Amino acid sequence: MRESFKLLKLGSKSALWAAIVNTVVALIKTAAYLITGNVAMFAEMMHSFGDAANQLFVFIGSALSKKAPTDRFPAGFGRLVNLVLLGAVLVVGVLAYETIVEGIHHISNATHSDDWFWLNIGVLGAAAALEATVLYKAMQEITEHLPREKVKGLKIIPESYKHVRDAKPATKLVFLEDNVAVGGAVLALLAIIISTYTPFHSATGYASIIIGILLLLVVGRVFLDNAAGALGVADVKMQAKIGSKVFAHPQVNDIQDLDVIKEGDSLHVELTLEVDPKMTIEQADDIKDDIEKKIKESVANVTDVVIEFDEDDGINTWDKIKNVKE
């Protein structure tokens, strides 16, 4: 039990915060929907429940993925977060489908009603504000490695979108879902205003369908990213960065092979280096320790570095490998 609590402390903070906030928002929207029966509110309610469940799974998965390797699982649990996310997107997919179906049903049975207008507006406005705080938290996690002056004030917004591809899986999911959450709340607000003050009474139905489609797009993006992560995807940028650093070592003549595999939030590095064949085992071991230390100091989340040595064949292999990997 003590180990479980320690692991939970290592889980994604943005996912935990998002799960708490979205649970509160979902309960508020549920109360509003039961009072008003508004279909746009129904779409937002389903969306928030989906986000809350998803992000709770993500938090638990990101924490368990930090568990140390065991005899039964010597490679560790890094890919567990990807597997959890693959399961989580199924929940969002089902809720997206229900949201679209409810929107279609409302379009065919649209009626005018200005009852509970200000209640709907107030709930959705508060929801948008709360979900915006979660989105900002995810932006902070995405850009935490950048210089402070680059993310000062509103600069954090474009920088977070620019670097979201490099974010941790859990943070990326929270970021994508809360983009839809904030956008969906604003869209639902506009739809309620339009359906109340214009003859276009089916606006909330169309808003529900659009929100459902946006959720499906998130499902597709997250599924593709985490299916690759579960299989063990190569991190090409890190391969180039680590290769350049290793190749600069004075006793490394060439890099015969280099793989950087992303497993959840962690990186697994495998290297085959060409060195002087006259080198002693002690010298090779010193080089290995030195390279491993430099890699772990310069690159975050590297869990292990596997280095093999081969004699120098006099052929420059690294330039060819680098061009292929790039």
Side-chain angles (χ1 to χ4, degrees), residues 83-159:
L83 294 174
V84 169
L85 286 168
L86 286 175
V89 295
L90 295 177
V91 176
V92 181
V94 171
L95 294 178
Y97 170 77
E98 292 295 334
T99 301
I100 292 170
V101 169
E102 187 66 22
I104 294 171
H105 175 73
H106 179 76
I107 290 171
S108 59
N109 297 279
T111 56
H112 173 68
S113 175
D114 55 5
D115 295 338
W116 309 107
F117 173 78
W118 289 110
L119 175 63
N120 285 323
I121 294 297
V123 167
L124 289 173
L130 287 170
E131 285 160 343
T133 65
V134 177
L135 181 59
Y136 180 71
K137 177 74 173 174
M139 288 179 175
Q140 286 180 313
E141 286 196 10
I142 291 170
T143 58
E144 63 184 359
H145 65 286
L146 298 176
R148 192 170 180 180
E149 61 272 10
K150 289 194 71 175
V151 294
K152 191 175 181 181
L154 294 177
K155 291 180 182 178
I156 193 173
I157 297 174
E159 290 297 327

Side-chain angles (χ1 to χ4, degrees), residues 48-86:
S48 293
F49 272 122
D51 281 357
N54 239 356
Q55 288 151 356
L56 179 61
F57 289 144
V58 169
F59 169 68
I60 294 171
S62 65
L64 294 178
S65 69
K66 305 294 191 302
K67 184 176 172 63
T70 63
D71 291 339
R72 189 177 179 186
F73 299 100
F77 298 82
R79 300 185 195 187
L80 184 60
V81 66
N82 298 115
L83 294 174
V84 169
L85 286 168
L86 286 175

Side-chain angles (χ1 to χ4, degrees), residues 239-258 269 271-274 287 290-292 294-295 298 305 307 309 318:
Q239 284 175 168
K241 180 178 180 179
I242 291 173
S244 298
K245 186 168 290 292
V246 172
F247 195 63
H249 194 284
Q251 291 174 289
V252 173
N253 296 343
D254 198 7
I255 300 176
Q256 198 176 97
D257 197 15
L258 168 60
V269 181
L271 283 157
T272 302
L273 307 178
E274 292 184 5
I287 293 171
D290 186 38
I291 290 174
E292 183 174 349
K294 286 181 177 178
I295 290 174
S298 61
V305 180
I307 300 175
F309 292 104
W318 170 239

Side-chain angles (χ1 to χ4, degrees), residues 281-312:
I281 294 176
E282 184 180 357
Q283 289 174 319
D285 190 55
D286 289 342
I287 293 171
K288 176 182 177 296
D289 292 341
D290 186 38
I291 290 174
E292 183 174 349
K293 182 182 177 183
K294 286 181 177 178
I295 290 174
K296 288 186 175 181
E297 286 177 348
S298 61
V299 180
N301 300 320
V302 174
T303 54
D304 63 321
V305 180
V306 178
I307 300 175
E308 296 181 358
F309 292 104
D310 200 356
E311 62 178 323
D312 186 4

Side-chain angles (χ1 to χ4, degrees), residues 186-199:
V186 173
L187 180 62
L189 272 169
L190 293 174
I192 290 171
I193 293 170
I194 292 170
S195 66
T196 302
Y197 292 107
T198 73

Side-chain angles (χ1 to χ4, degrees), residues 263-278:
E263 299 178 337
D265 296 340
S266 305
L267 295 173
H268 172 79
V269 181
E270 294 184 4
L271 283 157
T272 302
L273 307 178
E274 292 184 5
V275 295
D276 187 344
K278 296 178 182 178

